[in-house]
Amino acid sequence: MATSPTRLLLLGAVLIFEPVNAYQVRRELRSWGVDEWAHLNPGSIYSGLGTLARQGHLVQHALSEGGREVAVYTSTTQGRGEFGRLMEEAVTVVDLSAPLAFQTALTLMPLLDRATMRDLVRRRLERVDGWRRRVEEQAPPHGVVPPHVRVLVEHWERSARVERELAQGLLADIEAGRLAFAGEPDDWAPPQDDPGWQMASDRRRYVAALGLDGDEPGERP
């Protein structure tokens, strides 16, 4: 599989909607615009789900639906552990030249509990501060390097300031009880024409067909 953000997106989508079929995962992720900001195409979604199943992070169930076979996915204990590891890495590793992992984590942070996300963002803030200090200490004085190189250094400095402001604002929201995290009530609901409502109906059918407890992830046949 290509990248950690891809793995994170696919695992997160399954965790949100499981049991869920591959087409639904593709449709949902495309509604998030992942083909643009995450550079994730439909083929990568299908192949990525299959890879995660082969690695033991997901279970792929073959169900008959309308005369055709449908691949339905549920998570495993291993997969949920992998999701947690990837989220920790995506939030706490600071690489301002490659922001995709952190952007991906932001789309999936409601899957974590508030205390966990708070601690991860605190760690990120500490590392952003460390990155800023290194940039400031190593920045060449004016006149030592060509002007166009100085522009690059200023870009790094400004990027670090923006990153710090974002982390500070997110941490403030978390500590103030804003946003909704795992195990908390969420007063937001999608519009009535959102395909997620059909996914919820399909999920109930899949839960029954697979003999699962609707409140539990689905490792069982």
Side-chain angles (χ1 to χ4, degrees):
M1 182 175 290
T3 65
S4 291
T6 296
R7 294 168 65 83
L8 184 57
L9 270 172
L10 295 179
L11 284 169
V14 172
L15 285 170
I16 292 170
F17 299 107
E18 65 179 323
V20 62
N21 71 50
Y23 173 74
Q24 290 171 330
V25 172
R26 170 192 166 185
R27 183 181 60 189
E28 180 66 20
L29 289 180
R30 292 198 72 187
S31 76
W32 299 3
V34 297
D35 49 335
E36 297 180 4
W37 64 267
H39 313 298
L40 186 57
N41 59 52
S44 297
I45 293 172
Y46 286 115
S47 64
L49 290 169
T51 299
L52 288 167
R54 289 190 296 274
Q55 293 174 342
H57 299 310
L58 301 176
V59 177
Q60 179 178 313
H61 310 268
L63 294 181
S64 179
E65 189 172 62
R68 61 188 178 91
E69 191 172 273
V70 177
V72 173
Y73 292 90
T74 55
S75 66
T76 65
T77 300
Q78 177 181 315
R80 294 187 290 277
E82 176 72 352
F83 175 80
R85 184 190 71 80
L86 290 172
M87 281 290 286
E88 178 179 6
E89 179 182 281
V91 176
T92 62
V93 173
V94 177
D95 184 354
L96 302 188
S97 66
L100 179 56
F102 183 53
Q103 293 172 4
T104 302
L106 291 177
T107 69
L108 298 170
M109 62 180 178
L111 288 170
L112 299 182
D113 63 75
R114 183 176 297 274
T116 297
M117 191 64 191
R118 178 199 63 208
D119 292 344
L120 293 181
V121 175
R122 285 175 177 172
R123 288 167 58 189
R124 182 176 185 84
L125 187 55
E126 291 173 358
R127 292 185 178 184
V128 169
D129 284 340
W131 198 91
R132 287 185 67 203
R133 287 192 295 271
R134 289 193 297 275
V135 169
E136 292 170 356
E137 291 168 359
Q138 297 171 12
H142 287 278
V144 175
V145 297
H148 68 277
V149 176
R150 185 65 206 180
V151 171
L152 174 60
V153 174
E154 290 175 355
H155 171 68
W156 290 340
E157 292 172 341
R158 292 177 182 179
S159 296
R161 287 196 294 272
V162 170
E163 194 69 27
R164 188 177 197 280
E165 290 172 1
L166 174 62
Q168 281 185 313
L170 177 56
L171 182 59
D173 282 340
I174 294 171
E175 292 179 334
R178 293 186 285 269
L179 307 176
F181 293 90
E184 300 178 357
D186 186 358
D187 58 5
W188 181 85
Q192 289 302 311
D193 60 351
D194 190 282
W197 294 110
Q198 181 60 47
M199 291 172 70
S201 175
D202 291 340
R203 178 182 184 273
R204 289 190 290 271
R205 289 192 297 104
Y206 293 154
V207 165
L210 295 171
L212 302 176
D213 179 341
D215 294 327
E216 297 294 333
E219 292 181 71
R220 301 169 298 285

